[in-house]
mmCIF file of all heavy atoms in Angstrom:
data_model
loop_
_atom_site.group_PDB
_atom_site.id
_atom_site.type_symbol
_atom_site.label_atom_id
_atom_site.label_comp_id
_atom_site.label_asym_id
_atom_site.label_seq_id
_atom_site.Cartn_x
_atom_site.Cartn_y
_atom_site.Cartn_z
ATOM 1 N N GLU B 15 11.139 -16.399 19.337
ATOM 2 C CA GLU B 15 10.939 -15.351 20.333
ATOM 3 C C GLU B 15 12.225 -14.910 20.951
ATOM 4 O O GLU B 15 13.097 -15.684 21.218
ATOM 5 C CB GLU B 15 10.050 -15.928 21.420
ATOM 6 C CG GLU B 15 9.273 -14.886 22.231
ATOM 7 C CD GLU B 15 8.208 -15.459 23.071
ATOM 8 O OE1 GLU B 15 8.274 -16.675 23.392
ATOM 9 O OE2 GLU B 15 7.220 -14.771 23.431
ATOM 10 N N HIS B 36 1.350 -2.201 11.419
ATOM 11 C CA HIS B 36 1.290 -3.548 11.736
ATOM 12 C C HIS B 36 -0.143 -4.003 11.514
ATOM 13 O O HIS B 36 -1.087 -3.349 12.143
ATOM 14 C CB HIS B 36 1.732 -3.832 13.169
ATOM 15 C CG HIS B 36 1.615 -5.214 13.584
ATOM 16 N ND1 HIS B 36 1.319 -5.551 14.945
ATOM 17 C CD2 HIS B 36 1.653 -6.421 12.942
ATOM 18 C CE1 HIS B 36 1.245 -6.862 15.025
ATOM 19 N NE2 HIS B 36 1.483 -7.429 13.773
ATOM 20 N N ARG B 58 10.282 -1.451 22.016
ATOM 21 C CA ARG B 58 11.117 -2.367 21.353
ATOM 22 C C ARG B 58 11.279 -2.090 19.794
ATOM 23 O O ARG B 58 12.013 -2.726 19.133
ATOM 24 C CB ARG B 58 10.577 -3.771 21.568
ATOM 25 C CG ARG B 58 10.631 -4.284 22.936
ATOM 26 C CD ARG B 58 10.151 -5.737 23.037
ATOM 27 N NE ARG B 58 8.775 -5.879 22.682
ATOM 28 C CZ ARG B 58 8.356 -6.380 21.504
ATOM 29 N NH1 ARG B 58 9.195 -6.831 20.550
ATOM 30 N NH2 ARG B 58 7.069 -6.475 21.214
ATOM 31 N N SER B 77 11.857 -9.882 19.946
ATOM 32 C CA SER B 77 10.526 -10.117 19.371
ATOM 33 C C SER B 77 9.685 -10.944 20.275
ATOM 34 O O SER B 77 10.246 -11.869 20.992
ATOM 35 C CB SER B 77 10.636 -10.701 17.962
ATOM 36 O OG SER B 77 11.392 -11.907 17.985
ATOM 37 N N GLN B 78 8.376 -10.739 20.208
ATOM 38 C CA GLN B 78 7.456 -11.574 20.972
ATOM 39 C C GLN B 78 6.372 -12.180 20.062
ATOM 40 O O GLN B 78 6.211 -11.658 18.924
ATOM 41 C CB GLN B 78 6.702 -10.633 22.015
ATOM 42 C CG GLN B 78 7.713 -9.988 22.984
ATOM 43 C CD GLN B 78 7.033 -9.033 23.912
ATOM 44 O OE1 GLN B 78 5.831 -8.787 23.841
ATOM 45 N NE2 GLN B 78 7.786 -8.464 24.855
ATOM 46 N N THR B 79 5.632 -13.175 20.482
ATOM 47 C CA THR B 79 4.767 -13.849 19.609
ATOM 48 C C THR B 79 3.622 -12.836 19.112
ATOM 49 O O THR B 79 3.105 -12.937 18.040
ATOM 50 C CB THR B 79 4.075 -15.008 20.271
ATOM 51 O OG1 THR B 79 3.499 -14.607 21.534
ATOM 52 C CG2 THR B 79 5.145 -16.078 20.569
ATOM 53 N N THR B 80 3.362 -11.833 19.999
ATOM 54 C CA THR B 80 2.338 -10.862 19.626
ATOM 55 C C THR B 80 2.838 -9.938 18.531
ATOM 56 O O THR B 80 2.050 -9.129 17.969
ATOM 57 C CB THR B 80 1.913 -10.040 20.817
ATOM 58 O OG1 THR B 80 3.122 -9.533 21.507
ATOM 59 C CG2 THR B 80 1.150 -10.929 21.830
ATOM 60 N N ASP B 81 4.112 -9.953 18.187
ATOM 61 C CA ASP B 81 4.580 -9.158 17.057
ATOM 62 C C ASP B 81 4.206 -9.753 15.727
ATOM 63 O O ASP B 81 4.388 -9.144 14.625
ATOM 64 C CB ASP B 81 6.108 -8.990 17.150
ATOM 65 C CG ASP B 81 6.532 -8.193 18.368
ATOM 66 O OD1 ASP B 81 5.789 -7.424 18.813
ATOM 67 O OD2 ASP B 81 7.674 -8.503 18.843
ATOM 68 N N SER B 82 3.709 -11.004 15.658
ATOM 69 C CA SER B 82 3.374 -11.658 14.460
ATOM 70 C C SER B 82 2.278 -10.867 13.730
ATOM 71 O O SER B 82 1.470 -10.229 14.319
ATOM 72 C CB SER B 82 2.921 -13.106 14.737
ATOM 73 O OG SER B 82 3.867 -13.880 15.332
ATOM 74 N N GLY B 83 2.372 -10.938 12.338
ATOM 75 C CA GLY B 83 1.442 -10.252 11.512
ATOM 76 C C GLY B 83 2.124 -9.688 10.337
ATOM 77 O O GLY B 83 3.324 -10.019 10.048
ATOM 78 N N TYR B 85 3.618 -6.420 8.289
ATOM 79 C CA TYR B 85 4.107 -5.132 8.481
ATOM 80 C C TYR B 85 4.118 -4.362 7.130
ATOM 81 O O TYR B 85 4.700 -4.885 6.181
ATOM 82 C CB TYR B 85 5.515 -5.099 9.111
ATOM 83 C CG TYR B 85 5.482 -5.532 10.531
ATOM 84 C CD1 TYR B 85 5.330 -6.860 10.827
ATOM 85 C CD2 TYR B 85 5.493 -4.583 11.553
ATOM 86 C CE1 TYR B 85 5.290 -7.286 12.201
ATOM 87 C CE2 TYR B 85 5.414 -4.982 12.882
ATOM 88 C CZ TYR B 85 5.338 -6.359 13.161
ATOM 89 O OH TYR B 85 5.238 -6.669 14.497
ATOM 90 N N VAL B 109 6.526 -15.021 14.632
ATOM 91 C CA VAL B 109 7.420 -15.214 15.786
ATOM 92 C C VAL B 109 6.930 -16.437 16.568
ATOM 93 O O VAL B 109 5.853 -16.490 17.049
ATOM 94 C CB VAL B 109 7.357 -13.989 16.734
ATOM 95 C CG1 VAL B 109 8.326 -14.179 17.899
ATOM 96 C CG2 VAL B 109 7.722 -12.709 15.935
#
Side-chain angles (χ1 to χ4, degrees):
Chain B
E15 200 168 25
H36 175 212
R58 295 182 297 103
S77 58
Q78 301 175 358
T79 55
T80 52
D81 295 331
S82 296
Y85 289 79
V109 181

